[in-house]
Amino acid sequence: MSVILNEVRRATYLDSIVLMRISRQIAALPGIEEAGLIIGTPANKEILRDAGILGPESDGAEPSDLILALRASDALAGEAALAEARRLIDHPSALGAAAAVESSRTMRAAIKRLPAANLALISVPGDFAVAEAHKALELGLHAMIFSDNVPLDDEAALKRKARERGLFVMGPDCGTAIIGGVPLGFANVVPQGDIGIIGASGTGIQEVSCLIARAGRGITHALGTGGRDLKAEVGAITTLMAIDALDADDRTRHIVLISKPPAESVARLVLDRVAKSAKPFTICFLGASDVALPANARAAATLKATADIVVGGSAASWAQQPLPGLGRGGLVRGLFAGGTLCSEAQIIFRQAGLAVMSNVPVPGASAIGRAQDGQVLTDHVMIDLGDDEFTRGRPHPMFEPGVRDGPLAEALADPGVGIILLDIVLGYGGHPDPAGHLAAFLGRWEHRPLIVASVTGTDADPQPRNAQVETLAAAGVIVADSNAEATEAAIAALGPSLDRA
Amino acid sequence: MLDRADVVVPILRSGVLAQDFCRRRARATVEAVFERSFYLRAGDEFICVGEPDIGNGPLTLIGHPGPLADLDLAGRPVALGGGHILIGNSIRLSLDRSEAWRSPPWPVCPSPSRLIETCSALARRAAIDAPEEGLARHVCGIGEASTHQRPLARIAGPRVATFERWLFAVLARGRPSEDAIQGLLGLGPGLTPSGDDFLVGALALLDCVGERDAHAALGRAITAALRGATSALSACFLRAAAAGHVGETLHRAVSSIIAGDVGAAIAAVDTIGHSSGWDMMAGITTTLRVAASTRSSSSAYV
């Protein structure tokens, strides 16, 4: 049977936030059906009476007194809650530790719980992301917008507003950032160092930062910009701010910029800014050709080349294995979780003079239709499984490797496919054991083409890379040290007689 | 134990009512100590001593008293005089170089239709952003369904409606028949109850839009009913607002509303307490709605 317990604290003053937090904490205790902690005004006694928790102990309470009133399922639970309330009222600082991990329904509530926060990570459906980002900026927070499907005009407006306030908007569709060693979104455990990365691409940042880490170097910050920041409509607002920030950061001695090819006018803006810096830059405009760079910048055609330039040698140390001859077919089918890794593979195919098709083609590659259109694939094909076509209403393959199972089964069953090229992307936010999933899936297929994979990650990741590589190797997968090397190995295995575009 | 005046805290700015308190009062007590501020009490009067980030206010002395929070000040006797405030035997607040602070003049109001649009925009934002605990969500018309209302919302609803009818009558130059503030005083959670904050917001808005008669009438109704209805601390803020004195953050919120800048208004109220700022917003928007609908052709607006 329920019991009602009241306790009056004479002339007790606690600020409103503390009162609210104690109230919520007590109400959430086991066996507590209703609880309130309010000052003893006549109007508040009416509230408690209406809630059915006003006891006779509170009759004499004055407006400057504090009333703790609760209804519990039994006396034991009620007394325990009163004891906890007394402790919190006497020592409100005890609320602090718990508050940091409480969830908040709104950004404003969150910032009240964590007033020193200066960045909001926004991951809500795209329709709502713009409003949340505006709120973040109005609260003086930098915003990292993980969400996609944000209209380009809204992105530009948000970034202009942020710039006026001296704040960053990373994104929309910003999957990766590492700020002062703190990973945000999909990111890997990489050491601190002296290299700053600015990337319009999540997996691009991941691949380069992991290659740098595996070469024994580290990064200061990795700042995501979102894939459209270098479009003319946006004008590279975040990229330029990121360059300013890393240029001013004493610990950053080398700056890396990774992006799809920018609009010409925007490229000029960015490269003019690069030229004003005294620091060396490595610029990877994936798929671009003949970009005139300032003297302090070097161009890199691929992510692997970017890492090689930055570390001053080969970032990866994979001694390419001689692959066995193709048992069947002559085509390569790439099935990628990382969009930029898919682009990089296409670029390497194009550099090798091979025709390639993709659902997200780079310049020089051909577009393929949607998967359900039943198009017969007669060329080397690189598919970005993170593209909207595959992820609308479904998880991204980096969360859920099963998204790849269907296209992989098709490729395994296609007699024209001689090599399947895969990526495994590790780190925070990713699946706990993508290699294990892949190995189990492949174990069902007795006859299969060569399978070559790369594993983006480090041994310090939540899914240690070395263990993931071992799992893949045990399943007969050939594992390269980088996506570029995996692609090059696949091309080498095709042999010299193949038709070159 | 600290020696005499071991700690000297220069007061940088003094609200006009706090200055007056320091001139009139010789003795006080440290009544309440919070993380960034503490309150001195003499009789039914309170003043606040706080860090700059709490914002200027009519009852506030601004300095850097932060380290004092560790000194177990609550209950200590306070002596005032000679430009100093001596807490116990060892802590001295120096007013020598303090600047007087009073809230700046209100901006000129735009047309009532603009104000109504702003009201609607504020209500939409309040539905999402206002804390669950206060009045704002309910007053802005987007509260929970009536069968699931919290007790505060159930009780406050009719009282806010009563206030609106009273205000409508006053602004229409009629004779209000109901008590303007019946049951709102002392109603709700917080150090300053939600109902009190609501009324402070209403007073600020009436002052801003130049409705002097209504402001005076509401001020009289509040001060007449204060005793026993709410805490002495909250009553001080109500009396100040009735006399035309509000803190700079509330002033900024009201000025932003008048300027049609919803975002700035919300940013301002959101920094006042947990739900206090939003409760003030509820009072502001309620009053604004009534004022805009009754005085659309009044010369009070330009």
Side-chain angles (χ1 to χ4, degrees), chain A residues 214-232:
Chain A
R214 299 212 306 269
R217 299 282 296 277
I219 68 165
T220 51
H221 309 281
L223 306 172
T225 64
R228 302 178 303 193
D229 192 65
L230 297 190
K231 283 187 174 290

Side-chain angles (χ1 to χ4, degrees), chain B residues 27 32 40 52 57 59 64 101 142 161 177 190 204 217 220 237 239 249 283:
Chain B
R27 302 272 169 212
L40 307 182
L59 291 162
H64 288 289
W101 182 87
I142 315 179
S177 59
R220 281 194 303 274
F237 289 106
R239 278 195 295 267
T249 312

Side-chain angles (χ1 to χ4, degrees), chain A residues 291-471:
Chain A
V291 179
L293 299 181
N296 61 331
R298 289 184 63 185
T302 64
L303 302 172
K304 168 71 164 48
T306 304
D308 285 347
I309 291 172
V310 173
V311 302
S314 179
S317 56
W318 189 54
Q320 186 172 320
Q321 305 164 35
L323 300 186
L326 301 183
R328 67 182 216 193
L331 297 176
V332 178
R333 179 76 50 84
L335 300 170
F336 294 90
T340 306
L341 302 178
C342 180
S343 297
E344 184 183 43
Q346 293 176 61
I347 289 163
I348 293 170
F349 266 75
R350 293 297 305 133
Q351 286 174 338
L354 295 167
V356 63
M357 304 174 78
S358 177
N359 60 330
V360 186
V362 300
S366 311
I368 58 173
R370 293 155 57 88
Q372 62 267 37
D373 293 344
Q375 181 180 4
V376 177
L377 303 174
T378 54
D379 271 327
H380 306 299
V381 173
M382 303 296 141
I383 298 177
D384 174 8
L385 296 166
D387 192 43
D388 287 351
E389 175 188 356
F390 296 96
T391 59
R392 192 169 290 120
R394 300 163 69 193
H396 192 280
M398 281 162 60
F399 295 125
E400 176 43 69
V403 171
R404 181 153 44 191
D405 291 353
L408 181 56
E410 272 180 41
L412 287 163
D414 186 340
V417 173
I419 301 174
I420 296 176
L421 188 55
L422 303 173
D423 63 343
I424 297 284
V425 184
L426 308 176
Y428 293 110
H431 187 273
D433 184 17
H437 177 93
L438 180 60
F441 186 82
L442 292 174
R444 299 177 210 156
W445 297 78
E446 198 171 333
H447 303 290
R448 62 193 199 199
L450 290 178
I451 299 178
V452 183
S454 66
V455 180
T456 299
T458 70
D459 292 349
D461 276 334
Q463 324 87 331
R465 182 178 183 277
N466 47 4
Q468 293 284 301
V469 169
E470 280 176 21
T471 301

Side-chain angles (χ1 to χ4, degrees), chain A residues 222-245:
Chain A
L223 306 172
T225 64
R228 302 178 303 193
D229 192 65
L230 297 190
K231 283 187 174 290
E233 294 88 337
V234 183
I237 289 174
T238 301
T239 301
L240 291 169
M241 290 177 70
I243 293 174
D244 288 344

Side-chain angles (χ1 to χ4, degrees), chain B residues 16-18 20 24 45 58-59 101-104 106 199-208 211-224 226 234-247 250-251:
Chain B
V16 288
L17 301 181
D20 185 53
R24 287 186 294 104
E45 291 184 79
L59 291 162
W101 182 87
R102 65 169 60 244
S103 51
W106 294 107
L199 291 168
V200 167
L203 284 164
L205 192 281
L206 288 172
D207 195 26
C208 175
E211 290 288 1
R212 293 188 181 83
D213 291 346
H215 181 270
L218 182 58
R220 281 194 303 274
I222 290 170
T223 49
L226 271 178
S234 190
C236 280
F237 289 106
L238 281 161
R239 278 195 295 267
H245 300 290
V246 296
L250 174 57
H251 189 281

